Amino acid sequence: MDLYKQGLRPLLFSGLRADPEWLHRRLIDTLSGLAEADATRNPPLASWVRQQGRRAFCSAHPALSQTLWGLSFQNPVGLAAGFDKDGRVAHLWQDFGFGFAELGTVTLHAQPGNPRPRLFRLPQDLAALNRMGFNNEGAAAMAARLSVSAMPLQDADPSALRFPLGINLGKSKVTPLESAAEDYLGSFRLLQNCGNYFVVNVSSPNTPGLRSLQDADQLDRILGLLQQENAGQKPLLVKIAPDLDEGEIADILALCQTHHLAGIIATNTTVQRDRLHTQRLPTTGKLLTEEAGGISGAPLRQRSTEIIRLIYQKTSGTLPIIGVGGIFTAEDAWEKITAGASLVQVYTGWFYEGPWMVRRILDGLAQKLEAHGLSHIARAIGCKA
C-alpha cells in the first residue's frame, strides 16, 4: 500500500515534472476507457480489472453503512466535486472504495475555465492551489452522458444502484450575477433525473463574484427557484466557503431552514494564505500571496472542522453535514464525523495518499468505533460537538 507514496508519487510529482492537470486528465481518460469497455460488455478484461480494483481498494464494514435522505450509503467516505467534472466515470468510483461520489461542478453553459496553468501542488503543505474556473462541458452534455451510461452499468452491476451520485451545480461565467438563479435552475432542469442529490455551489473563489451569492438575499432567490422546481423530489444542499464569519453562516443556516434544504457541505477551498510553508510557486515564480485561487488539503483541515462543529451546534444536529477539507487519514475523518459530519469527502488527500487511501480510512473508522465501544457510525456523529 505504500508503493504509491514511496515510488509512484515521487515519480509523478517530481520525476516526470508533469502538469498536475495533465496527469488528472490522463487518469480520467484511462478510467473512461475502462468504463466504456465495461458498459459495452466487451471483454472480460474490463470486468476483471474492475474486480481486481475492488479487491485492492474496497473494504466492507456494515457498521459504517447508513441511510440518509432515503439513500443507502455503504460507507461515509465520498469523492468530492471537482475530480470528475463531467461525470465521465461516475459509477467507477465505487471500485476505489468510495461510498458515494459528487460530480461537477457543472454549469448550464459549457466553458473552458481559467487560463492555464491553473492547478498547482504544494507538497510542503500537503495542499493544492487551484483556479480551474468551473471548466466543464455543460449540463446538457453531462445529462446526455449519464442518461446513456446509467442503464448498462446498472444492469451489469446491481451495486451501481446502491452508489449515490451527487451533482454539484455552479453558475456559468457568462451569466450575470443578477441572472444566477435562472442559470442554476436551467442546469437543475436538465440534470434532475440524473443525480441522487444536488448541491448549490456558491463558494468557489474562482468565478468572479460567485461568493457574493452566499449573501442572504441572493441565495434566498436561488434556493427558492430551485426548490419550487424540485418540489421535494431530490435532496438539495448548499456548499459554503470556509472564509465566512459566524454571522454569515447563521444567515445561511436560516435559509436552509426556510427552504427545507436537506443538508450543507462544509467547506470549499479557502483564499487564506496564512501559516503556509510554501511562499513562492516554482511554476510561475510568483509569491503565493500574488496567486489567485483556492487552497485545499491539510491547511483547510482545522477550519473546516470548526465550521462543521459550529453548524452542528447551531442546528442541534438536525441538518446533515458533509464534511470536506484536509482529510488524509482515518483520524482526520473521525475528527469531522465526531464534530458533526454525517458524511465526509476527499479530493486533495487522495492524490497525495494514493488509491489505497479510502480503504485505510474505512478500516481505521471501524477500529475507532470498536475502540470507543460504538456499534454504528451514526452513534459517532457529533459525539464531540
Side-chain angles (χ1 to χ4, degrees), residues 284-330:
T284 65
K286 294 182 180 179
L287 290 171
L288 202 61
T289 52
E290 300 173 352
E291 296 283 2
I295 300 289
S296 62
L300 190 57
R301 180 185 301 135
Q302 181 178 345
R303 179 56 180 163
S304 65
T305 302
E306 289 173 354
I307 292 179
I308 290 166
R309 184 176 291 110
L310 174 66
I311 293 170
Y312 189 88
Q313 291 171 346
K314 284 188 171 296
T315 62
S316 300
T318 59
L319 184 69
I321 304 165
I322 299 180
V324 55
I327 297 175
F328 288 69
T329 66

Short mmCIF file of all heavy atoms in Angstrom, two decimals, residues 284-330:
data_model
loop_
_atom_site.label_atom_id
_atom_site.label_comp_id
_atom_site.label_asym_id
_atom_site.label_seq_id
_atom_site.Cartn_x
_atom_site.Cartn_y
_atom_site.Cartn_z
N THR A 284 5.42 29.41 -11.50
CA THR A 284 5.27 30.77 -12.01
C THR A 284 6.34 31.72 -11.49
O THR A 284 6.55 32.79 -12.08
CB THR A 284 3.90 31.33 -11.61
OG1 THR A 284 3.84 31.47 -10.17
CG2 THR A 284 2.77 30.41 -12.07
N GLY A 285 6.98 31.34 -10.39
CA GLY A 285 7.98 32.21 -9.79
C GLY A 285 7.41 33.32 -8.94
O GLY A 285 8.14 34.12 -8.36
N LYS A 286 6.07 33.37 -8.81
CA LYS A 286 5.41 34.42 -8.05
C LYS A 286 5.18 34.00 -6.60
O LYS A 286 5.08 32.81 -6.30
CB LYS A 286 4.07 34.78 -8.69
CG LYS A 286 4.16 35.42 -10.07
CD LYS A 286 2.77 35.77 -10.56
CE LYS A 286 2.82 36.40 -11.94
NZ LYS A 286 1.45 36.73 -12.44
N LEU A 287 5.09 35.01 -5.73
CA LEU A 287 4.71 34.73 -4.35
C LEU A 287 3.30 34.16 -4.31
O LEU A 287 2.44 34.56 -5.10
CB LEU A 287 4.77 36.01 -3.51
CG LEU A 287 6.16 36.59 -3.24
CD1 LEU A 287 6.03 37.97 -2.59
CD2 LEU A 287 6.97 35.65 -2.36
N LEU A 288 3.07 33.26 -3.37
CA LEU A 288 1.75 32.62 -3.27
C LEU A 288 0.67 33.65 -2.97
O LEU A 288 -0.47 33.50 -3.39
CB LEU A 288 1.79 31.54 -2.18
CG LEU A 288 0.74 30.46 -2.28
CD1 LEU A 288 0.87 29.69 -3.59
CD2 LEU A 288 0.84 29.50 -1.11
N THR A 289 1.04 34.70 -2.26
CA THR A 289 0.07 35.74 -1.95
C THR A 289 -0.36 36.52 -3.19
O THR A 289 -1.37 37.23 -3.16
CB THR A 289 0.65 36.72 -0.92
OG1 THR A 289 1.93 37.18 -1.38
CG2 THR A 289 0.82 36.04 0.43
N GLU A 290 0.39 36.40 -4.28
CA GLU A 290 0.06 37.09 -5.53
C GLU A 290 -0.73 36.21 -6.48
O GLU A 290 -1.19 36.67 -7.53
CB GLU A 290 1.34 37.56 -6.23
CG GLU A 290 2.17 38.53 -5.40
CD GLU A 290 3.51 38.83 -6.07
OE1 GLU A 290 3.84 38.17 -7.07
OE2 GLU A 290 4.22 39.73 -5.58
N GLU A 291 -0.89 34.93 -6.12
CA GLU A 291 -1.55 33.97 -7.00
C GLU A 291 -3.03 33.82 -6.63
O GLU A 291 -3.37 33.63 -5.46
CB GLU A 291 -0.87 32.59 -6.90
CG GLU A 291 0.57 32.57 -7.38
CD GLU A 291 0.68 32.57 -8.89
OE1 GLU A 291 -0.36 32.61 -9.57
OE2 GLU A 291 1.82 32.50 -9.39
N ALA A 292 -3.88 33.91 -7.63
CA ALA A 292 -5.31 33.70 -7.40
C ALA A 292 -5.60 32.22 -7.21
O ALA A 292 -4.82 31.36 -7.59
CB ALA A 292 -6.09 34.24 -8.60
N GLY A 293 -6.75 31.92 -6.60
CA GLY A 293 -7.18 30.53 -6.45
C GLY A 293 -7.45 30.15 -5.01
O GLY A 293 -7.21 30.92 -4.07
N GLY A 294 -7.98 28.95 -4.85
CA GLY A 294 -8.32 28.44 -3.52
C GLY A 294 -7.36 27.36 -3.08
O GLY A 294 -6.88 26.56 -3.88
N ILE A 295 -7.09 27.33 -1.79
CA ILE A 295 -6.21 26.33 -1.18
C ILE A 295 -7.05 25.19 -0.64
O ILE A 295 -8.04 25.39 0.06
CB ILE A 295 -5.38 26.94 -0.03
CG1 ILE A 295 -4.51 28.09 -0.54
CG2 ILE A 295 -4.53 25.86 0.65
CD1 ILE A 295 -3.36 27.67 -1.40
N SER A 296 -6.65 23.96 -0.96
CA SER A 296 -7.29 22.76 -0.40
C SER A 296 -6.23 21.90 0.26
O SER A 296 -5.03 22.15 0.13
CB SER A 296 -7.99 21.97 -1.52
OG SER A 296 -7.04 21.53 -2.48
N GLY A 297 -6.67 20.86 0.96
CA GLY A 297 -5.74 19.96 1.61
C GLY A 297 -5.55 20.25 3.09
O GLY A 297 -6.41 20.84 3.75
N ALA A 298 -4.39 19.85 3.61
CA ALA A 298 -4.15 19.89 5.05
C ALA A 298 -4.36 21.26 5.69
O ALA A 298 -4.87 21.33 6.82
CB ALA A 298 -2.74 19.37 5.35
N PRO A 299 -4.00 22.39 5.05
CA PRO A 299 -4.21 23.69 5.71
C PRO A 299 -5.68 24.01 5.98
O PRO A 299 -5.97 24.89 6.79
CB PRO A 299 -3.61 24.68 4.70
CG PRO A 299 -2.63 23.89 3.90
CD PRO A 299 -3.24 22.53 3.78
N LEU A 300 -6.58 23.32 5.32
CA LEU A 300 -8.01 23.58 5.47
C LEU A 300 -8.63 22.74 6.60
O LEU A 300 -9.76 23.01 7.03
CB LEU A 300 -8.72 23.27 4.15
CG LEU A 300 -10.18 23.66 3.97
CD1 LEU A 300 -10.40 25.15 4.19
CD2 LEU A 300 -10.65 23.26 2.57
N ARG A 301 -7.89 21.75 7.08
CA ARG A 301 -8.47 20.75 7.99
C ARG A 301 -9.11 21.36 9.22
O ARG A 301 -10.28 21.10 9.53
CB ARG A 301 -7.38 19.75 8.41
CG ARG A 301 -7.87 18.66 9.36
CD ARG A 301 -6.70 17.80 9.81
NE ARG A 301 -6.05 17.19 8.67
CZ ARG A 301 -4.73 17.14 8.49
NH1 ARG A 301 -3.92 17.69 9.39
NH2 ARG A 301 -4.22 16.55 7.43
N GLN A 302 -8.38 22.16 9.93
CA GLN A 302 -8.88 22.69 11.21
C GLN A 302 -10.09 23.61 11.01
O GLN A 302 -11.09 23.48 11.72
CB GLN A 302 -7.77 23.45 11.93
CG GLN A 302 -8.19 24.02 13.28
CD GLN A 302 -7.06 24.73 14.00
OE1 GLN A 302 -5.90 24.60 13.65
NE2 GLN A 302 -7.41 25.52 15.01
N ARG A 303 -10.00 24.51 10.03
CA ARG A 303 -11.10 25.46 9.82
C ARG A 303 -12.38 24.77 9.39
O ARG A 303 -13.47 25.10 9.89
CB ARG A 303 -10.70 26.52 8.78
CG ARG A 303 -11.79 27.55 8.47
CD ARG A 303 -12.26 28.27 9.72
NE ARG A 303 -13.31 29.25 9.41
CZ ARG A 303 -14.11 29.77 10.32
NH1 ARG A 303 -13.99 29.43 11.60
NH2 ARG A 303 -15.04 30.65 9.97
N SER A 304 -12.28 23.80 8.49
CA SER A 304 -13.50 23.11 8.06
C SER A 304 -14.13 22.35 9.21
O SER A 304 -15.36 22.32 9.36
CB SER A 304 -13.19 22.16 6.89
OG SER A 304 -12.33 21.12 7.27
N THR A 305 -13.31 21.76 10.08
CA THR A 305 -13.85 21.05 11.24
C THR A 305 -14.51 22.01 12.22
O THR A 305 -15.56 21.70 12.80
CB THR A 305 -12.73 20.26 11.95
OG1 THR A 305 -12.13 19.34 11.03
CG2 THR A 305 -13.29 19.47 13.13
N GLU A 306 -13.92 23.19 12.41
CA GLU A 306 -14.54 24.20 13.28
C GLU A 306 -15.92 24.59 12.76
O GLU A 306 -16.87 24.74 13.55
CB GLU A 306 -13.64 25.44 13.34
CG GLU A 306 -12.35 25.25 14.12
CD GLU A 306 -11.42 26.45 14.00
OE1 GLU A 306 -11.75 27.37 13.21
OE2 GLU A 306 -10.38 26.46 14.66
N ILE A 307 -16.05 24.74 11.45
CA ILE A 307 -17.35 25.13 10.89
C ILE A 307 -18.35 23.99 11.00
O ILE A 307 -19.53 24.22 11.29
CB ILE A 307 -17.16 25.59 9.43
CG1 ILE A 307 -16.39 26.90 9.41
CG2 ILE A 307 -18.51 25.74 8.73
CD1 ILE A 307 -16.13 27.46 8.02
N ILE A 308 -17.90 22.77 10.81
CA ILE A 308 -18.79 21.61 10.99
C ILE A 308 -19.34 21.60 12.41
O ILE A 308 -20.54 21.44 12.64
CB ILE A 308 -18.03 20.31 10.70
CG1 ILE A 308 -17.73 20.19 9.21
CG2 ILE A 308 -18.82 19.08 11.18
CD1 ILE A 308 -16.71 19.12 8.87
N ARG A 309 -18.46 21.80 13.37
CA ARG A 309 -18.89 21.80 14.78
C ARG A 309 -19.87 22.94 15.06
O ARG A 309 -20.88 22.76 15.76
CB ARG A 309 -17.66 21.90 15.69
CG ARG A 309 -17.99 21.82 17.19
CD ARG A 309 -16.73 21.83 18.04
NE ARG A 309 -15.98 20.59 17.86
CZ ARG A 309 -14.81 20.50 17.23
NH1 ARG A 309 -14.26 21.58 16.71
NH2 ARG A 309 -14.19 19.34 17.11
N LEU A 310 -19.58 24.10 14.50
CA LEU A 310 -20.46 25.26 14.68
C LEU A 310 -21.85 24.99 14.11
O LEU A 310 -22.87 25.27 14.76
CB LEU A 310 -19.84 26.48 14.01
CG LEU A 310 -20.70 27.76 14.00
CD1 LEU A 310 -20.90 28.28 15.41
CD2 LEU A 310 -20.04 28.83 13.12
N ILE A 311 -21.91 24.44 12.90
CA ILE A 311 -23.20 24.15 12.26
C ILE A 311 -23.97 23.12 13.08
O ILE A 311 -25.18 23.26 13.31
CB ILE A 311 -22.99 23.65 10.83
CG1 ILE A 311 -22.42 24.77 9.95
CG2 ILE A 311 -24.29 23.13 10.23
CD1 ILE A 311 -21.96 24.31 8.58
N TYR A 312 -23.27 22.08 13.53
CA TYR A 312 -23.93 21.03 14.31
C TYR A 312 -24.52 21.60 15.60
O TYR A 312 -25.65 21.28 15.98
CB TYR A 312 -22.93 19.92 14.63
CG TYR A 312 -23.56 18.69 15.25
CD1 TYR A 312 -24.06 17.67 14.46
CD2 TYR A 312 -23.64 18.57 16.64
CE1 TYR A 312 -24.64 16.55 15.03
CE2 TYR A 312 -24.22 17.45 17.22
CZ TYR A 312 -24.72 16.44 16.40
OH TYR A 312 -25.31 15.33 16.98
N GLN A 313 -23.75 22.48 16.25
CA GLN A 313 -24.23 23.08 17.49
C GLN A 313 -25.43 23.99 17.25
O GLN A 313 -26.42 23.94 17.98
CB GLN A 313 -23.09 23.87 18.16
CG GLN A 313 -21.98 22.99 18.70
CD GLN A 313 -20.78 23.79 19.17
OE1 GLN A 313 -20.66 24.98 18.85
NE2 GLN A 313 -19.88 23.15 19.90
N LYS A 314 -25.35 24.82 16.21
CA LYS A 314 -26.41 25.79 15.95
C LYS A 314 -27.70 25.13 15.48
O LYS A 314 -28.79 25.70 15.64
CB LYS A 314 -25.94 26.83 14.92
CG LYS A 314 -24.99 27.87 15.49
CD LYS A 314 -24.70 28.97 14.49
CE LYS A 314 -23.95 30.11 15.13
NZ LYS A 314 -24.72 30.81 16.19
N THR A 315 -27.59 23.95 14.87
CA THR A 315 -28.79 23.25 14.37
C THR A 315 -29.18 22.08 15.26
O THR A 315 -30.12 21.35 14.94
CB THR A 315 -28.54 22.73 12.95
OG1 THR A 315 -27.47 21.78 12.95
CG2 THR A 315 -28.20 23.88 12.00
N SER A 316 -28.47 21.91 16.37
CA SER A 316 -28.71 20.78 17.28
C SER A 316 -28.67 19.44 16.53
O SER A 316 -29.41 18.51 16.85
CB SER A 316 -30.06 20.95 17.99
OG SER A 316 -30.09 22.14 18.73
N GLY A 317 -27.84 19.39 15.52
CA GLY A 317 -27.66 18.14 14.78
C GLY A 317 -28.80 17.78 13.85
O GLY A 317 -28.85 16.65 13.35
N THR A 318 -29.69 18.72 13.57
CA THR A 318 -30.85 18.40 12.73
C THR A 318 -30.58 18.58 11.24
O THR A 318 -31.38 18.13 10.41
CB THR A 318 -32.05 19.28 13.11
OG1 THR A 318 -31.68 20.67 12.94
CG2 THR A 318 -32.45 19.04 14.56
N LEU A 319 -29.49 19.25 10.88
CA LEU A 319 -29.16 19.47 9.47
C LEU A 319 -27.94 18.62 9.11
O LEU A 319 -26.83 18.90 9.57
CB LEU A 319 -28.85 20.96 9.23
CG LEU A 319 -28.58 21.35 7.77
CD1 LEU A 319 -29.87 21.24 6.94
CD2 LEU A 319 -28.01 22.77 7.69
N PRO A 320 -28.11 17.59 8.30
CA PRO A 320 -26.97 16.74 7.93
C PRO A 320 -25.85 17.54 7.27
O PRO A 320 -26.11 18.44 6.46
CB PRO A 320 -27.59 15.73 6.95
CG PRO A 320 -29.02 15.66 7.35
CD PRO A 320 -29.38 17.06 7.75
N ILE A 321 -24.63 17.19 7.63
CA ILE A 321 -23.45 17.90 7.14
C ILE A 321 -22.55 16.92 6.40
O ILE A 321 -22.30 15.80 6.86
CB ILE A 321 -22.65 18.51 8.32
CG1 ILE A 321 -23.53 19.43 9.15
CG2 ILE A 321 -21.42 19.25 7.81
CD1 ILE A 321 -22.92 19.77 10.52
N ILE A 322 -22.05 17.33 5.23
CA ILE A 322 -20.98 16.61 4.55
C ILE A 322 -19.71 17.40 4.80
O ILE A 322 -19.60 18.57 4.43
CB ILE A 322 -21.22 16.47 3.04
CG1 ILE A 322 -22.50 15.68 2.77
CG2 ILE A 322 -20.04 15.77 2.37
CD1 ILE A 322 -22.82 15.49 1.29
N GLY A 323 -18.76 16.78 5.47
CA GLY A 323 -17.52 17.46 5.85
C GLY A 323 -16.42 17.21 4.84
O GLY A 323 -16.17 16.06 4.46
N VAL A 324 -15.74 18.27 4.42
CA VAL A 324 -14.66 18.13 3.45
C VAL A 324 -13.60 19.18 3.74
O VAL A 324 -13.91 20.30 4.10
CB VAL A 324 -15.21 18.25 2.00
CG1 VAL A 324 -15.98 19.53 1.81
CG2 VAL A 324 -14.10 18.15 0.97
N GLY A 325 -12.35 18.76 3.60
CA GLY A 325 -11.24 19.68 3.83
C GLY A 325 -10.14 19.06 4.66
O GLY A 325 -10.29 18.89 5.86
N GLY A 326 -9.06 18.66 4.01
CA GLY A 326 -7.88 18.18 4.74
C GLY A 326 -7.97 16.77 5.28
O GLY A 326 -7.28 16.44 6.25
N ILE A 327 -8.77 15.91 4.67
CA ILE A 327 -8.87 14.53 5.15
C ILE A 327 -7.85 13.66 4.43
O ILE A 327 -7.89 13.50 3.21
CB ILE A 327 -10.29 13.97 4.93
CG1 ILE A 327 -11.31 14.77 5.75
CG2 ILE A 327 -10.35 12.49 5.29
CD1 ILE A 327 -12.75 14.37 5.50
N PHE A 328 -6.93 13.10 5.22
CA PHE A 328 -5.89 12.22 4.70
C PHE A 328 -5.93 10.85 5.39
O PHE A 328 -5.52 9.86 4.80
CB PHE A 328 -4.50 12.83 4.93
CG PHE A 328 -4.17 14.00 4.06
CD1 PHE A 328 -4.82 15.22 4.21
CD2 PHE A 328 -3.20 13.90 3.07
CE1 PHE A 328 -4.52 16.31 3.41
CE2 PHE A 328 -2.88 14.98 2.26
CZ PHE A 328 -3.56 16.19 2.43
N THR A 329 -6.40 10.82 6.62
CA THR A 329 -6.33 9.60 7.44
C THR A 329 -7.67 9.33 8.11
O THR A 329 -8.58 10.17 8.09
CB THR A 329 -5.27 9.76 8.54
OG1 THR A 329 -5.70 10.78 9.46
CG2 THR A 329 -3.92 10.13 7.96
N ALA A 330 -7.77 8.16 8.72
CA ALA A 330 -8.96 7.82 9.49
C ALA A 330 -9.15 8.79 10.64
O ALA A 330 -10.29 9.15 10.99
CB ALA A 330 -8.86 6.39 10.01
#
